[in-house]
Amino acid sequence: MSRVIQNVRRSPLLMAIVVIFVIVGVAIGWWLGSPLFINNSVNEAFPVSTAPTQQAADVVQPQAEQTAAMASADTPQPQDRAPVAVISGQFRDADSFHMGSGDAALYQLEDGSFVLR
């Protein structure tokens, strides 16, 4: 073993190869081992709906006028509708190596799209 170390010290090319293998080995070891001790929790806000563009407003305007004519004037219209939970559930470990658990819910936004939280 000491003979190998002496050869590595004498040859700069061999030393460079050893250093590259050590760096690659450490990087792969970190990539494979880090999920075992890094814990991430995610808590994001709901996406914000944006105002329609002018072109979309031109298309929607006639339909909005028809809808407004059909609706009574004294019926209040909600301005901002909160996301509605459609379904929810819990998830847990898939197996002894792929650990993870928590709650998940599917929400419907005011524009009809869905968001998983």
Side-chain angles (χ1 to χ4, degrees):
M1 185 69 173
S2 64
R3 188 178 222 189
V4 173
I5 294 173
Q6 288 176 354
N7 288 337
V8 168
R9 288 184 182 164
R10 283 190 224 156
S11 172
L13 177 63
L14 193 55
M15 180 70 146
I17 292 172
V18 169
V19 167
I20 289 172
F21 272 105
V22 168
I23 290 172
V24 170
V26 168
I28 291 173
W30 175 261
W31 181 69
L32 291 173
S34 64
L36 298 174
F37 54 85
I38 294 177
N39 186 9
N40 292 329
S41 296
V42 178
N43 188 11
E44 298 175 342
F46 284 101
V48 178
S49 63
T50 59
T53 62
Q54 183 60 34
Q55 183 180 12
D58 292 342
V59 172
V60 175
Q61 187 65 25
Q63 182 181 4
E65 290 174 1
Q66 292 173 356
T67 305
M70 291 170 39
S72 65
D74 45 46
T75 305
Q77 298 294 326
Q79 294 297 328
D80 291 327
R81 199 175 84 201
V84 178
V86 177
I87 192 168
S88 64
Q90 295 180 336
F91 59 93
R92 57 188 168 100
D93 303 341
D95 55 31
S96 62
F97 186 73
H98 299 95
M99 294 178 262
S101 61
D103 298 320
L106 184 67
Y107 289 92
Q108 185 172 16
L109 302 178
E110 61 185 21
D111 64 353
S113 62
F114 293 93
V115 175
L116 180 63
R117 298 290 166 153

